[in-house]
Amino acid sequence: MNATVTIDDHVESWMNRKVHSVHRDASVRDVLEIMAKEVIASVPVVGEKGEVVGIVTLGDLARVVLSTEQVLDSDFPHYEDCFWAVDLFQRRLGSDPVLNVMSENVTCVRPDQSMREAALIMIRDRIRHLAVVDERGLVGMLAAIDFVRLIAKV
């Protein structure tokens, strides 16, 4: 057991500093490409000054797929025969603006908060990703996997 690693370590010790974000005018496809290339499950959306204005998670994208499928099933029960159905999916998961799919209520923590505090926030809000911000804006991301890394070192 390593006494130097604890759940009271600061978030900045465990956060991912290499943040892959998109600007608010990005497309859903931009987010999907980043997620696939970087093998990540969330992408923060930032404004002009670097402030966090939203986040897109795999859960958000799953909701887009399910809602699109529900529309097609209810309004067009034989959509599998239609090219426009494919076009609808491609648009919603391609050229549509990220603003259409992102979650606007982003839970953030500061770099100097403890991992314990961050864990309690994630449990309370039932989320898997936290944006780490300071006075400059977005400085990192903290994900559930970072707690697994911490526990593995304790």
Side-chain angles (χ1 to χ4, degrees):
M1 189 156 135
N2 186 344
T4 63
V5 175
T6 74
I7 192 74
D8 292 314
D9 284 358
H10 285 170
V11 165
E12 66 190 341
S13 299
W14 294 95
M15 70 183 190
N16 185 348
R17 295 176 194 283
K18 185 179 176 189
V19 179
H20 300 278
S21 62
V22 295
H23 193 267
R24 63 182 335 139
D25 63 358
S27 70
V28 175
R29 181 166 189 87
D30 295 331
V31 171
L32 286 168
E33 287 175 354
I34 290 170
M35 286 179 161
K37 180 180 178 198
E38 301 300 329
V39 191
I40 54 176
S42 68
V43 175
V45 182
V46 295
E48 292 295 326
K49 298 174 185 148
E51 74 279 13
V52 179
V53 298
I55 190 167
V56 180
T57 67
L58 290 177
D60 295 322
L61 296 172
R63 279 187 285 285
V64 170
V65 170
L66 290 173
S67 69
T68 303
E69 194 171 75
Q70 288 170 348
V71 166
L72 292 174
D73 282 342
S74 64
D75 296 345
F76 307 98
H78 303 292
Y79 73 85
E80 62 273 354
D81 297 331
C82 303
F83 288 115
W84 58 264
V86 172
D87 181 60
L88 178 62
F89 265 107
Q90 286 177 331
R91 189 178 70 247
R92 283 200 170 172
L93 291 174
S95 61
D96 272 6
V98 72
L99 296 173
N100 290 358
V101 301
M102 73 179 194
S103 299
E104 291 180 359
N105 297 325
V106 183
T107 305
C108 300
V109 293
R110 296 180 321 277
D112 63 345
Q113 284 184 265
S114 73
M115 290 295 281
R116 180 186 311 276
E117 289 174 292
L120 291 171
I121 290 168
M122 291 173 88
I123 291 166
R124 178 194 71 205
D125 294 351
R126 299 176 52 103
I127 57 175
R128 294 182 191 97
H129 306 93
L130 290 169
V132 183
V133 298
D134 67 10
E135 61 281 347
R136 298 167 296 174
L138 182 65
V139 295
M141 289 295 291
L142 190 67
I145 192 68
D146 297 316
F147 291 92
V148 174
R149 287 189 314 112
L150 183 145
I151 296 302
K153 296 233 181 200
V154 173

